[in-house]
Amino acid sequence: MPGAEPPLSPTAEDEPLSTDPANRPSHLTDRIRTELVRRGPCKVPPGFVFSRNESDGRSCHHQYFRKILVSGEKMARSWLIYSVKNNSLFCFCCKLFSKRNINLTSAGMANWKHASDYLTSHENSPEHLNCIKAWKEQSVRLKSGETIDKLEMALLEAERVRWRAVLTRLTAIVQSLALRNLALRGHTETLFTPSNGNFLKEVELMARFDPIMKDHLNRVERGTANQNSYLGHHVQNELIDLLSSKIISSIVDDIKQAKFFSVILDCTPDISHTEKLLVVIRVVSLMEKPHIREHFMGFLEAEESTGQHLESMILTRLEELGIPFEDCRGHSYDNGANMKGKNKGVQARLLEKNPRALFVPCGAHTLNLVVCDAAKGSVDAISYFGVLQKLYTLFSASTQRGPY
Ligand SMILES: [Zn+2]
C-alpha cells in the first residue's frame, strides 16, 4: 500500500527528487517516480532569464513552453521542464516512464536552433503520448478524484479517434483494390507523383473530398506524421495480411457450420518455376440460404511432388485452419500418378485415413473444373459450363470459324 510506505528520506533520496532534472538518475525506483508524479513538473518563472550558449549566443525561450494549436490557441506544454544546471530541456513524463535514451531524457536538449521542430516532433511521437498517458493515469490514481488536465486528455482521445478514422479509410482502399485484383504499389512511394501506384492514387483522390484524409496528407507533407504516415508498403502488406486472415477465418466459420466438405486440389508451377499446390474447399454453405460454395484457400509451396509430401501438406493446412479431416467427404484432383495413384498417390493415402472421403477424378468431375493458368500463376475455379462458354466465345470471335 502506498500509504503504508515510510516518508522519503530527505538525505538519501534528496538527489533524485531535486527540482533540476539533470540531477536525477536515468533509473528511478517506483517510489521516487510516484513522488515526482505527485509533485509534478517544475514551471519556469515568467521573468526567468535563460543563459546563452557561448558558442552561438542562442538560448532557450519562454515560447518553447507553449504550443500553438491549429485554431491559433496557445496551450502550455506541461510536460516540458528546464534544467538550470545543464541549460537544457527535458521531457518530464518521458524521463519518468520511457526506456528510450533520447536527449530529452538523458543529458537534456540544448539545440536551440532546431528546438521548435524537435519539440513538435517529440510531442507527436507515440512513445511520448504513451508516457503522457502513463503520467496522467498515475496522477489520477494519486489524486483520486481531483481534476486532471482535461484538455490534454481530450487531445489524446482526439488523436486516437483520428488514427482510427485514417486506418479505417486505408483498410477500405486496400480492400477495394484487392477486390479488383489491382496492384497496390507503383514505382515510387512519394505522394502526388505520377507513378506512385494505385494505393497512393486512391489516397490522393479520397483526400480531395474527405476532410480526415486531407488533414492526414497535410500532416504527412508537413512532416509531423512522417514516421507514422501509414502509407508505406509495410503497412499495406500488413493490412493485406490482416484482411486475408479475417477472410480465411470467415470461410472457416462457413465450413464448420456446413460440417461436411470436399477438397479440390491441383499442382501447377508458377512463373518462378516453383511447384504450387492450390487448395479449394467445397461445401454446402448454410450462411444464408443453402447453396454450394467453393472457397479458394490459397497456394501451398510444394517442395516435392510425391504423394506422401502432398498428403502431409494438405493435412497440415487443414489442421492449421482447425478443419477436422474426418468431416471430409470427397477429394478431387487430376489424373497424375502422385495424385490418383492407387498405392502411394494422395487419394490412396487420404482414403486410408478417412474411407468416407470419396475420390472423384478430375475427368469425371463435371460440375466444377479447376483451371490453372500456369503462365500467369493465377487460378480460377469456374464451372464446366463456364469452360464451354469460353470455348464458344473463342471460336465465335474467329474470323475463319464464326458461328453458323
Ligand atoms: Zn516526452
Side-chain angles (χ1 to χ4, degrees):
M1 279 175 62
E5 286 180 3
L8 294 163
S9 154
T11 49
E13 314 223 54
D14 189 47
E15 190 74 353
L17 284 170
S18 162
T19 51
D20 194 312
N23 288 334
R24 295 175 197 155
S26 54
H27 178 73
L28 297 170
T29 63
D30 283 345
R31 203 160 149 236
I32 301 282
R33 190 180 294 115
T34 306
E35 181 58 21
L36 287 170
V37 169
R38 196 187 63 73
R39 293 185 185 187
C42 285
K43 288 181 184 168
V44 178
F48 185 82
V49 180
F50 297 100
S51 43
R52 292 187 177 277
N53 281 349
E54 284 180 10
S55 52
D56 56 6
R58 293 177 193 273
S59 70
C60 183
H61 278 286
H62 286 280
Q63 69 192 36
Y64 295 150
F65 294 84
R66 289 186 296 273
K67 81 181 235 182
I68 299 172
L69 303 178
V70 183
S71 60
E73 195 182 338
K74 287 181 181 173
M75 185 186 145
R77 282 181 169 134
S78 58
W79 50 270
L80 193 61
I81 46 177
Y82 177 72
S83 160
V84 178
K85 183 183 173 189
N86 283 14
N87 183 24
S88 61
L89 291 170
F90 285 79
C91 176
F92 177 74
C93 53
C94 287
K95 188 148 179 67
L96 292 185
F97 296 100
S98 173
K99 292 191 172 71
R100 283 181 62 202
N101 194 9
I102 54 172
N103 280 344
L104 283 169
T105 61
S106 52
M109 201 284 295
N111 181 358
W112 307 124
K113 190 177 177 183
H114 301 109
S116 192
D117 289 342
Y118 186 89
L119 295 175
T120 307
S121 159
H122 178 73
E123 73 187 353
N124 288 323
S125 67
E127 178 80 7
H128 173 76
L129 293 173
N130 284 337
C131 291
I132 279 222
K133 194 166 168 238
W135 168 31
K136 293 297 173 190
E137 281 174 357
Q138 187 154 357
S139 187
V140 169
R141 283 199 296 274
L142 285 173
K143 291 177 183 173
S144 61
E146 285 182 37
T147 53
I148 58 156
D149 193 340
K150 283 184 183 169
L151 185 57
E152 221 154 69
M153 289 300 276
L155 281 174
L156 279 177
E157 178 61 15
E159 193 68 359
R160 193 185 67 78
V161 171
R162 185 180 73 80
W163 275 115
R164 181 173 281 264
V166 169
L167 282 173
T168 307
R169 282 155 179 77
L170 296 181
T171 309
I173 291 174
V174 170
Q175 198 172 5
S176 157
L177 292 172
L179 269 173
R180 288 173 283 154
N181 210 13
L182 293 172
L184 271 71
R185 292 170 63 191
H187 295 295
T188 71
E189 289 195 352
T190 313
L191 281 164
F192 304 108
T193 50
S195 56
N196 58 7
N198 290 323
F199 177 77
L200 290 181
K201 278 283 163 276
E202 295 257 333
V203 168
E204 290 166 11
L205 178 66
M206 190 178 274
R208 284 175 60 189
F209 305 100
D210 177 50
I212 290 172
M213 194 54 87
K214 187 175 184 178
D215 171 62
H216 184 61
L217 292 202
N218 284 341
R219 285 168 186 257
V220 173
E221 287 203 303
R222 285 203 307 266
T224 50
N226 205 19
Q227 289 179 332
N228 301 306
S229 69
Y230 284 84
L231 299 175
H233 61 277
H234 290 298
V235 172
Q236 294 171 30
N237 287 343
E238 202 173 330
L239 289 175
I240 292 170
D241 286 344
L242 289 170
L243 285 170
S244 153
S245 56
K246 190 74 187 166
I247 291 168
I248 291 279
S249 130
S250 159
I251 290 174
V252 169
D253 285 348
D254 189 21
I255 295 168
K256 283 184 178 169
Q257 201 178 0
K259 188 164 173 68
F260 299 114
F261 65 94
S262 55
V263 192
I264 304 171
L265 306 164
D266 202 356
C267 273
T268 181
D270 68 4
I271 200 163
S272 63
H273 304 291
T274 311
E275 191 77 352
K276 290 283 169 68
L277 176 71
L278 71 97
V279 183
V280 174
I281 292 188
R282 179 183 161 92
V283 288
V284 179
S285 173
L286 304 172
M287 281 289 194
E288 294 152 9
K289 58 178 185 182
H291 64 288
I292 294 170
R293 290 182 83 169
E294 287 181 351
H295 297 296
F296 172 56
M297 306 301 284
F299 290 107
L300 304 178
E301 198 167 310
E303 288 163 11
E304 297 172 37
S305 53
T306 60
Q308 185 185 10
H309 185 69
L310 295 176
E311 177 223 6
S312 118
M313 280 175 68
I314 298 154
L315 294 179
T316 309
R317 180 65 179 151
L318 289 176
E319 198 178 324
E320 281 170 4
L321 295 171
I323 303 171
F325 182 63
E326 54 267 26
D327 291 338
C328 181
R329 289 294 177 268
H331 40 119
S332 171
Y333 20 79
D334 64 17
N335 293 322
N338 58 344
M339 300 304 269
K340 78 157 210 173
K342 285 187 179 172
N343 298 319
K344 291 185 178 176
V346 175
Q347 70 122 342
R349 291 171 183 279
L350 291 183
L351 273 173
E352 195 180 304
K353 291 211 163 39
N354 180 1
R356 291 185 175 188
L358 299 175
F359 167 60
V360 183
C362 189
H365 191 259
T366 52
L367 282 177
N368 293 282
L369 186 65
V370 177
V371 177
C372 305
D373 185 347
K376 292 179 189 168
S378 67
V379 174
D380 291 312
I382 60 170
S383 76
Y384 170 72
F385 298 104
V387 175
L388 283 186
Q389 175 71 34
K390 281 196 169 184
L391 288 173
Y392 171 77
T393 311
L394 175 73
F395 284 107
S396 63
S398 163
T399 52
Q400 302 294 323
R401 304 176 188 184
Y404 301 105

